[in-house]
Amino acid sequence: MNILITGCNGQLGNEMQLLEKAHPAHTFFNTDVDELDITNQEAVENFINTHEIEGIVNCAAFTAVDKAEEAKEPCTTLNTVAPAYLAAAIESRHGWIIQISTDYVFNGKNFRPYREDDTPSPDGVYGSTKLAGEFGVTKFCSRAMIIRTAWLYSSFGNNFVKTMLRLGRERDTLGVIYDQIGTPTYARDLAMAIMSIIEQGIHPGVYHFTNEGVASWYDFTKAIHRLAGITGCQVRPLKTEEYPTPAKRPHYSILDKSKIKDTYHLTIPYWEDSLRECVEILTSC
């Protein structure tokens, strides 16, 4: 197949590129804004038709959660409008699209892991625009697959792991939120799952994917420092109200992954095992 990857310079996009050589049967078109502006409908249609694209993995997104509260228009354009353009264009070729979404479509007030059929209730601009993006993709493409993920990190780009490594080396003390719970997710594991899905075939619908297990941001930080051998920084637990941000964060972001595991027979790594792999890459550079 001819497969379009958008947002190729981001965390997930870069991880997807590392795996492409293992799938020589497909031709991948890796694009970011310089190669294809997905907010331009005509450009999207021309690219997809010219290159005879049969499938899309949309990794592109406006992910600056706090900035989104004051930048609603560009956030909406990239998270809501652009996915609909991609979906409509690929539908005209009877192709498929995998849209990457987020735990922020939920408000985080649940008491059990969120399932795909739970009613979304986003609290902020980022979550609202990503949810609208889900609706647009499923409206315009009959072979649309939504994958919601959470707490994504990688050896590429800017992310929580890199920030905690840097601060752990720079500071004697560091305060980190302990009352927000989720699952750190290695972008390479998500990329591997996507490649497996492509090989097995698209089953349209909404799916959840994170690594296995749960942690708070405090637990996550302690593990990062331990695995990196950082011992000179004392990590203090903070309550959410002690670290106010423009956007509300979900207190509970655990996603139920049963559907994607059962449908695609995936074995998903435990979050700390994957974190060890990523930290080894980062500390060996």
Side-chain angles (χ1 to χ4, degrees):
M1 289 183 286
N2 291 338
I3 300 172
L4 168 63
I5 309 293
T6 64
C8 73
N9 292 335
Q11 296 186 97
L12 181 57
N14 270 297
E15 297 289 1
M16 291 289 293
Q17 291 183 72
L18 291 181
L19 302 177
E20 289 171 1
K21 290 182 180 179
H23 300 268
H26 306 303
T27 300
F28 293 91
F29 294 84
N30 299 298
T31 67
D32 216 290
V33 65
D34 290 340
E35 294 79 27
L36 173 62
D37 179 4
I38 63 172
T39 67
N40 182 323
Q41 186 174 15
E42 183 178 358
V44 166
E45 292 172 350
N46 288 340
F47 190 98
I48 287 173
N49 288 323
T50 299
H51 297 285
E52 300 182 335
I53 300 298
E54 298 163 81
I56 301 172
V57 182
N58 184 26
C59 305
F62 188 111
T63 58
V65 176
D66 289 325
K67 186 178 179 181
E69 294 298 308
E70 295 182 354
K72 187 173 182 178
E73 184 175 346
C75 185
T76 300
T77 300
L78 191 52
N79 290 351
T80 302
V81 178
Y85 290 161
L86 291 166
I90 199 66
E91 176 70 8
S92 70
R93 299 189 59 81
H94 309 290
W96 51 264
I97 183 170
I98 296 176
Q99 168 72 7
I100 307 303
S101 193
T102 174
D103 60 306
Y104 275 75
V105 301
F106 300 112
N107 61 18
K109 297 178 181 178
N110 221 6
F111 58 89
R112 57 157 176 76
Y114 283 99
R115 296 191 294 258
E116 289 83 355
D117 57 0
D118 285 328
T119 302
S121 52
D123 264 341
V125 171
Y126 171 65
S128 297
T129 59
K130 290 295 287 183
L131 179 60
E134 292 185 11
F135 292 153
V137 165
T138 55
K139 176 181 179 180
F140 291 107
C141 183
S142 58
R143 299 177 66 197
M145 183 175 181
I146 311 296
I147 302 179
R148 295 173 181 150
T149 191
W151 294 28
L152 206 64
Y153 68 90
S154 167
S155 58
F156 298 100
N158 298 316
N159 54 64
F160 186 83
V161 173
K162 287 187 174 181
T163 299
M164 292 303 104
L165 286 172
R166 175 176 56 81
L167 294 178
R169 292 167 179 141
E170 293 175 353
R171 299 185 182 181
D172 295 328
T173 62
L174 181 62
V176 183
I177 303 297
Y178 80 90
D179 57 358
Q180 294 173 17
I181 308 299
T183 305
T185 304
Y186 189 21
R188 186 164 303 177
D189 291 333
L190 176 54
M192 292 176 68
I194 291 170
M195 286 299 194
S196 179
I197 288 165
I198 291 171
E199 296 298 347
Q200 294 181 59
I202 302 299
H203 297 280
V206 180
Y207 296 82
H208 289 167
F209 182 95
T210 64
N211 279 115
E212 297 284 19
V214 300
S216 69
W217 293 109
Y218 172 80
D219 298 322
F220 192 13
T221 303
K222 293 286 283 186
I224 293 166
H225 287 187
R226 182 176 67 255
L227 293 170
I230 296 173
T231 58
C233 179
Q234 180 186 3
V235 182
R236 298 178 293 103
L238 297 179
K239 294 180 180 179
T240 296
E241 54 263 34
E242 295 180 82
Y243 191 77
T245 57
K248 292 180 66 176
R249 264 66 173 175
H251 278 275
Y252 188 90
S253 289
I254 311 302
L255 301 179
D256 188 317
K257 300 176 288 293
S258 301
K259 182 179 177 182
I260 200 167
K261 289 193 289 186
D262 292 344
T263 303
Y264 290 100
H265 313 290
L266 299 178
T267 299
I268 302 176
Y270 174 58
W271 71 266
E272 192 167 335
D273 293 337
S274 292
L275 175 63
R276 180 179 294 105
E277 180 181 332
C278 185
V279 169
E280 287 176 355
I281 293 172
L282 291 170
T283 54
S284 64
C285 294

